[in-house]
Amino acid sequence: MLFRSDLPLLYRSFGEGPGLIIVHGMMQLADDQRKLAERLATDFKVHLYDRSGFGDRNSYPFATDLAAEALDLMRLLEVTGARHVMGVSVGGLICLSAMLHGAPIEAAIIFEPPLSHEGSVPVDWIPEMNDQLARGDRIGAMVSAMVGAQMGPPFLARMPKWLLRLLTRVLVRAGGPNRSEE
């Protein structure tokens, strides 16, 4: 099995039972799925990891395509022995890509994957986001994804991008909107 062995793969595990890996979305970190992992830990050994360029791995470059992200997931499947996955948003696409690349996945939950069928969702913003990811501009990529995918309330699309960049940077430094001290 091929994988990006040059990057460290850091993960946390919760519970006992069959292995389940949760793959977070673009506007999240692994820790955003912690409460879900703790609840599922009564039946599964749940593994959370930060994708390259996020959280504990923010000093590493973002993967610029789903195949590279799938290789990281396949590596974690190999290391943990997990055979179940759950992908949130783009994490769902990463799970599907891993399956297409032959990952030993027995069961998958794909939650709110960002898909467009025959133009149902605009995708013209994706090249700009990919360019930003390739340049290491994580904040710009998050803003492009947020505006392009129409995440959040409609007024966000009317805000200037420089202000969205500033607000996103503040939220990222603060640990995000879904974090709480425990």
Side-chain angles (χ1 to χ4, degrees):
M1 189 179 314
L2 298 173
F3 52 84
R4 298 184 322 150
S5 60
D6 57 324
L7 300 178
L9 193 55
L10 309 172
Y11 64 95
R12 293 181 268 316
S13 302
F14 303 84
E16 295 299 325
L20 167 68
I21 297 171
I22 300 177
V23 185
H24 67 82
M26 174 70 167
M27 306 298 281
Q28 302 175 322
L29 300 174
D31 202 48
D32 290 323
Q33 305 301 326
R34 185 182 185 120
K35 288 183 181 180
L36 175 61
E38 289 170 348
R39 290 198 176 165
L40 292 171
T42 58
D43 298 307
F44 294 93
K45 184 167 189 174
V46 183
H47 308 284
L48 301 177
Y49 75 106
D50 282 312
R51 295 171 32 223
S52 186
F54 293 85
D56 291 338
R57 298 175 74 210
N58 70 6
S59 61
Y60 298 95
F62 280 104
T64 55
D65 60 39
L66 286 176
E69 294 263 21
L71 293 175
D72 278 351
L73 174 56
M74 291 167 75
R75 179 174 168 211
L76 188 57
L77 287 161
E78 184 177 294
V79 168
T80 64
R83 295 296 175 257
H84 301 80
V85 295
M86 176 182 174
V88 179
S89 186
V90 74
L93 297 182
I94 293 166
C95 293
L96 293 172
S97 180
M99 293 168 75
L100 288 173
H101 285 87
I105 295 171
E106 295 173 6
I109 298 169
I110 309 302
F111 183 71
E112 293 187 339
L115 298 173
S116 177
H117 177 68
E118 297 179 356
S120 63
V121 177
V123 295
D124 56 336
W125 54 273
I126 293 175
E128 177 184 7
M129 182 196 69
N130 286 337
D131 289 343
Q132 290 163 322
L133 289 173
R135 292 191 318 270
D137 180 7
R138 115 183 45 237
I139 300 299
M142 289 176 152
V143 168
S144 291
M146 184 171 39
V147 172
Q150 302 167 6
M151 294 181 210
F155 74 84
L156 288 178
R158 295 188 303 271
M159 291 178 73
K161 282 196 174 183
W162 66 266
L163 181 56
L164 286 173
R165 287 178 68 90
L166 177 67
L167 293 172
T168 302
R169 184 174 291 113
V170 169
L171 284 173
V172 167
R173 284 191 185 140
N178 299 320
R179 299 281 165 66
S180 61
E181 293 297 320
E182 297 184 34

